[in-house]
Amino acid sequence: MNEAPKLLLAHHLKTLKLPTVLREYDKVAQQCAAEGLDHVQFLARLVELELIDRERRMIERRIKAAKFPAVKSLDSFDFKAIPSLNKMQVLELARCEWIERRENVIALGPSGTGKTHVALGLGLAACQKGLAVGFTTAAALVHELMEARDQRRLLRLQKQLVSHKLLIIDELGFVPLSKTGAELLFELISQRYERGATLITSNLPFDEWTETFGSERLTGALLDRLTHHVSILEMNGDSYRLGQSRAHKARVAADAQH
């Protein structure tokens, strides 16, 4: 049998970047012949395989580019262990419409409540929807921003970070930030405001964020931007609601006066 047409076909398919068609066409042709399917059905089946494979490769590339510390899905999250977390709210967020709307999510609660797992699960869902995701810890992000500033490539890094459809900043509040670090982080969040979605996890309720940022004015301005369009995931019950701790302190003060 003359091999020339096969070699030519292989060359064309490589040029067109259709590796799945190249790998599968022979097998699919035999299946379709056995099933009595015509050339259009054969072609449709082959093209569908290419599309499925292309989507899988795209998701793998997105996951790799996101730099997740581990790949975790929401399927493996134990919602029963954290009764304060609204499961329906998380599953709604996994549809990723909030990312398209450039809104924010803040997961609040003490260490060990699964904030990072939920963040990774939502990040994975975004990758599966074909969205560009970036994952970092607050400390690593601030270090990266300060290093870029010192090396005069801050604008380039900021542009790159703003381009993510979803930026996940994990563990905000674990380490107090320097004045410069806090200002750089604020600047980045301001640049992303209404231009991209940001997901932040923190072990501190909002009224303790000043301890991390070192300035009430900066913390207030940051929270204004973050909470303008926000979904708050409470991983430790009501005490982590926005304003809840302030109300509690006011009640304690009022009780003390009686």
Side-chain angles (χ1 to χ4, degrees), residues 103-116:
E103 296 175 0
N104 303 317
V105 168
I106 303 175
L108 298 171
S111 297
T113 48
K115 297 184 301 296
T116 302

Side-chain angles (χ1 to χ4, degrees), residues 32-51:
C32 289
E35 292 170 37
L37 302 179
D38 64 17
H39 64 285
V40 175
Q41 290 164 307
F42 158 68
L43 202 53
R45 192 177 283 189
L46 204 50
V47 170
E48 187 185 16
L49 285 175
E50 183 67 56
L51 277 172

Side-chain angles (χ1 to χ4, degrees), residues 167-187:
L167 179 64
I168 301 173
I169 304 171
D170 199 24
E171 299 181 345
L172 182 73
F174 278 74
V175 185
L177 305 174
S178 65
K179 187 173 183 291
T180 310
E183 284 166 0
L184 286 169
L185 185 55
F186 171 75
E187 198 178 326

Side-chain angles (χ1 to χ4, degrees), residues 69-135:
V71 178
K72 291 188 177 184
S73 75
L74 291 170
D75 296 342
S76 59
F77 185 78
D78 182 9
F79 284 95
K80 289 192 186 78
I82 312 290
S84 61
L85 181 61
N86 183 336
K87 183 179 179 179
M88 294 315 295
Q89 184 187 15
V90 176
L91 297 180
E92 175 62 33
L93 291 171
R95 293 170 60 187
C96 301
E97 287 163 13
W98 64 282
I99 300 172
E100 301 289 6
R101 293 193 299 265
R102 303 182 180 110
E103 296 175 0
N104 303 317
V105 168
I106 303 175
L108 298 171
S111 297
T113 48
K115 297 184 301 296
T116 302
H117 188 148
V118 169
L120 288 168
L122 291 173
L124 180 64
C127 288
Q128 288 165 340
K129 289 270 197 301
L131 303 172
V133 180
F135 183 99

Side-chain angles (χ1 to χ4, degrees), residues 166-222:
L166 170 62
L167 179 64
I168 301 173
I169 304 171
D170 199 24
E171 299 181 345
L172 182 73
F174 278 74
V175 185
L177 305 174
S178 65
K179 187 173 183 291
T180 310
E183 284 166 0
L184 286 169
L185 185 55
F186 171 75
E187 198 178 326
L188 174 67
I189 287 168
S190 296
Q191 287 167 338
R192 287 187 59 80
Y193 177 58
E194 296 189 330
R195 289 171 69 185
T198 305
L199 191 163
I200 291 177
T201 76
S202 179
N203 60 325
L204 297 178
F206 290 119
D207 64 347
E208 289 177 29
W209 279 30
T210 309
E211 292 170 20
T212 299
F213 288 94
S215 148
E216 277 195 22
R217 187 185 53 80
L218 190 71
T219 308
L222 179 88

